[in-house]
Amino acid sequence: LKILSRKHELSKDKIGWEIAIRILTIMTLIELDMLDEATAQTEGLRKHMERHSKMKEVRERDRIILKTLQAMEKQGYVQDKIGAEERTLLEKLQSTTAKWRWEPVTPELIPFDRWMAARYKKK
C-alpha cells in the first residue's frame, strides 16, 4: 500500500498507468479488509475515469473493472457468493474479445479477472 500510494512520474504521462495503480490499490485494500477505504477509492477511480474519458481514451476493460468493483461494493465484498451482475462482468473480463481481455503488455500487473475468480473461489 505504501508503494502504491507514492506518486509515480509514469502516471503523469499515461492515463492507463494511473488507472491501473488505482485498481491495484483497491484490490489491495479489499484484501486487507479495509472496505471503507476501498469504497472511497472506487469512487475516486470513477471520478478520475469520468474526467479523463472526455480527453483521453479509457480502455473498455477498465470500465468493466470499475463496474465490477461497484457491484462488489453493493454485495458488501462478500467472498462466499457472487451476484449475477458480478458473474456477467467477470465472464466479459475472461472472454477473448479484444476490448475486454487481459493483455500482458499493459499496466494491469495482476489480471483483475483472475484475482476476482480466486477471491470468489470460482473456476
Side-chain angles (χ1 to χ4, degrees), residues 1-8 11 16-45 48 65 69 72 77 107-110 112 115 119:
L1 218 53
K2 276 185 185 180
I3 293 169
L4 290 169
S5 65
R6 291 186 207 155
K7 283 296 169 197
H8 303 280
S11 67
W17 283 96
E18 180 64 24
I19 290 172
I21 290 168
R22 288 174 183 247
I23 291 170
L24 191 55
T25 300
I26 294 166
M27 291 164 57
T28 303
L29 290 168
I30 292 170
E31 287 298 320
L32 292 172
D33 206 29
M34 299 172 72
L35 305 181
D36 290 338
E37 291 87 344
T39 298
Q41 289 290 325
T42 301
E43 179 60 17
L45 174 63
H48 179 78
I65 289 172
L69 288 166
M72 289 171 70
Y77 303 102
E108 189 179 341
L109 300 175
I110 297 172
F112 184 86
W115 169 79
R119 180 162 177 79

Side-chain angles (χ1 to χ4, degrees), residues 31-98:
E31 287 298 320
L32 292 172
D33 206 29
M34 299 172 72
L35 305 181
D36 290 338
E37 291 87 344
T39 298
Q41 289 290 325
T42 301
E43 179 60 17
L45 174 63
R46 183 195 65 77
K47 289 177 181 178
H48 179 78
M49 288 174 67
E50 187 177 288
R51 266 192 314 272
H52 288 86
S53 66
K54 296 171 186 162
M55 297 182 292
K56 297 180 180 180
E57 186 60 35
V58 175
R59 294 182 326 146
E60 186 63 28
R61 180 174 174 86
D62 293 332
R63 294 176 198 275
I64 298 295
I65 289 172
L66 174 61
K67 287 179 185 177
T68 306
L69 288 166
Q70 291 171 325
M72 289 171 70
E73 177 190 348
K74 286 179 196 171
Q75 294 286 338
Y77 303 102
V78 177
Q79 281 185 265
D80 58 350
K81 69 175 185 173
I82 185 168
E85 182 181 7
E86 294 161 299
R87 185 178 315 279
T88 302
L89 293 168
L90 179 58
E91 287 169 1
K92 280 185 179 181
L93 292 171
Q94 291 175 330
S95 76
T96 57
T97 305

